[in-house]
Amino acid sequence: MLLVAVVTIGAVSIVVVGGLTLEETREDTEDVRIEQVFVELEQNVNSVALGEGSSDQTNFDIRTREGAIHRKDTGRIEVYTQNIDIANESFGSIEYTRGETVYAYQAGGVWRGTGDDAVMVSPPQFYYRDGTLNLPIPIISGEERIDSGVVNIRKNRTMSPINRVGYVEGELVTVKIHSEYYGGWADYLRKHTSERAVSVDHANETVKVKLGRPILNGDFRQGVYATGGDEGDVTVQSGNAVINGPVRAEGDVNVSGAGSITGSIESGIESGLYELDPAIEWKVEGARNNSSVLTPNNPGNNITMENGSTYFYDQDIDLTSNDVRVDLSDGNVTLVLDGNISLDDADLEINNPTGDAAFRVYTTGNFGLHNAQAGYDNNSSRLQIYGTSDMQVAITGGSDTEFFGTIYAPRDYPAIDDDEENEAALSSQSKCEGWDVCVVAGSSNLVGAIIGGPTKLEQNTEFTHDPYLTNVEPSLQIDDQLFPPPITFLHVSLHEVELDDGDEDERLALS
C-alpha cells in the first residue's frame, strides 16, 4: 500500500508539474503571437507613414478578452539645438495590456513593458550613422479605443520642420523623448549612439540624446575681437589707453580723448564664431566623472598644477596674496573649472615651459585680475583661457597688473546690460558697468589676444597684440571619451497617421 501511495503521489506531481509547464508554454506562445501582431502593425503603419501609399489595412488580431486596445497621447519628442527649436510633438502610441505585461507601438517601434523595465521588440524610426541623424517619426491619431481585427491606416499629412537647418555641424543637437517605455528607448539609443550621448531622467520618464562636436572656428589674429551682435563694441577712451594691433568688432569701434588704436580696425563684422558653452559643459561633466582627473593641491593656500596633468575644480579660485603656480616642464597642463577665477594681488605663474606646452583653462565662470600678474612674460601662447558666452573679464589695477595670454569667449549677445556691473571686477573703484570685458584703472599692461563680448579700455592701460599668436591654433582638446558622437546633417520629418476600426463585414470575415 505504501508503494502504491508513493507511486500515486508521484503520478499526481508529474501531472501538476506537466500542467504548469504546458500552461507556461501556452503563455509564452501567446506572448510571442501578440508581439508578432504588433510588429505587423508597425510594418504597415510605417509603410503608410514613410512610403508613397496614402492608406492600407492590417489584421490587428489580438483575439483576447483580457484588456482593451487604447490609443494614448502620452509620448512626446523634442528636437532642438542651442538656438533653434526644431520639433516638439506628441507622437502617441497603441497600447495593449495582458495581465501585468504592456505591449505598445510607438514612434515606429514596438515595446514590451513600461518604465525602466521596458524593452524594445522592434526598433523605432531613429537612424544615426556617420554623422547623419534621420528622424522620420510616425504620429498616431484616431479613435481612443481600437478593437481586435481589421484596422484602417490612413496618412493625413507630413510635416518637415527641419528643411532650413539640415546642416548642423558645430551645433549640439538634443533629442528629448518622453515615453512610458523610456527604458527600452534608452537601451536602443545607447547602442546606436554611445553611452556618453544618452542620459535618463527616471522621475520624468525622459531620455535625452545629445549629438555634436563643438567647433572652435576662430583664431588669435586680432588683438581685441568684440562679439555680441550689434552691441559688440570696442571703446578706447580717456587717459592714454592704447591698443597696439588689429581690432575687430561686430558692433562699433570708438576712440575718444587721448585713446588710440595703432593697428587695423574692422567694425560691423559678423564673426560667425561659435559659442563654447556646449564644449565647456561637456568638459566639466566629463572631468567630474573621470577618475584620472586630479584636484589642484593648495599647500599654504598656493595652488600648484604640474606633471602634464588635467585638473578639475568645482568651486571658485578666489585668492588674495597667494598664487597659482603651473609647471609646464612635463608638457601641457589643463584646468577644467566650474567656477570663477579671482586673483587679487595674487599671481598666476607659469614656469619651465617646454616646446609648445601651454596652460589651458576651460571655465564656466568669470576672470578677474587686480594688482597681479598672469601668464608667461614675452610668450602669451603659454596661457590660454576659454570661457562661455556668459564670461565676464575685468583686468584692473595700476602698473603692478600684467597679463600675458589669450582669452577666447565669443558670444551672440552681451552677457550684461548697460547698467549692470561686471561681476569679475575686483576693484572697488572700477565696476565696468555695461562691459563684458574691461581693462581699466592705472597703467595695466596686457600682451596677447582677447576674444570676448563688448570691450572697454581706459586710463593709461596698454594692450599689445602678440604677432606670434597668428601661428597658434586655439584648442578644445577634444577627448572622444568626453564628447558625444559628431553630427553634420539632421533630417526630421513628422508623419501623422490615423488608425480606426475596419467595417463590420471585414471583421466578420476574420472571426
Side-chain angles (χ1 to χ4, degrees), residues 352-424:
N352 305 316
T354 57
D356 295 328
F359 176 48
R360 294 185 177 91
V361 180
Y362 301 92
T363 177
T364 61
N366 303 320
F367 179 76
L369 186 69
H370 178 247
N371 287 333
Q373 291 81 46
Y376 187 78
D377 194 1
N378 297 321
N379 190 337
S380 55
S381 69
R382 302 295 186 184
L383 172 61
Q384 299 177 24
I385 300 174
Y386 299 88
T388 69
S389 59
D390 292 324
M391 183 187 217
Q392 299 170 44
V393 177
I395 299 176
T396 59
S399 59
D400 290 335
T401 301
E402 292 185 309
F403 177 86
F404 298 91
T406 63
I407 296 174
Y408 190 104
R411 61 211 58 204
D412 294 331
Y413 305 98
I416 60 177
D417 295 331
D418 291 343
D419 58 350
E420 286 185 288
E421 293 182 352
N422 185 310
E423 294 179 357

Side-chain angles (χ1 to χ4, degrees), residues 237-293:
Q237 67 180 33
S238 72
N240 292 306
V242 59
I243 297 176
N244 298 312
V247 173
R248 176 176 283 191
E250 288 195 304
D252 298 324
V253 177
N254 304 295
V255 180
S256 62
S260 63
I261 297 174
T262 63
S264 62
I265 298 174
E266 296 179 272
S267 60
I269 302 296
E270 184 175 348
S271 73
L273 300 179
Y274 290 113
E275 298 178 345
L276 299 188
D277 300 41
I280 292 176
E281 172 189 337
W282 279 108
K283 278 191 168 291
V284 167
E285 185 177 344
R288 191 189 305 276
N289 298 318
N290 190 336
S291 59
S292 65
V293 173

Side-chain angles (χ1 to χ4, degrees), residues 19 28 109 160 192 259 289 318 344-345 355 360 365 369 375 399 409 453-454 467:
D28 291 343
S160 299
H192 288 268
N289 298 318
D318 189 355
D344 193 355
D345 195 23
R360 294 185 177 91
L369 186 69
S399 59

Side-chain angles (χ1 to χ4, degrees), residues 87 166 176 222 432:
K176 182 178 178 182
Q222 283 75 38
C432 305

Side-chain angles (χ1 to χ4, degrees), residues 411-484:
R411 61 211 58 204
D412 294 331
Y413 305 98
I416 60 177
D417 295 331
D418 291 343
D419 58 350
E420 286 185 288
E421 293 182 352
N422 185 310
E423 294 179 357
L426 303 177
S427 170
S428 60
Q429 297 177 338
S430 302
K431 291 302 182 182
C432 305
E433 289 89 349
W435 296 95
D436 290 4
V437 178
C438 70
V439 184
V440 300
S443 302
S444 302
N445 179 45
L446 289 77
V447 179
I450 294 180
I451 300 172
T455 301
K456 178 182 181 181
L457 277 78
E458 68 177 9
Q459 296 190 23
N460 294 324
T461 58
E462 183 174 3
F463 187 103
T464 301
H465 177 243
D466 184 349
Y468 176 77
L469 292 173
T470 59
N471 299 315
V472 175
E473 290 290 332
S475 174
L476 289 176
Q477 297 178 302
I478 291 179
D479 186 333
D480 285 343
Q481 295 179 349
L482 299 185
F483 283 84

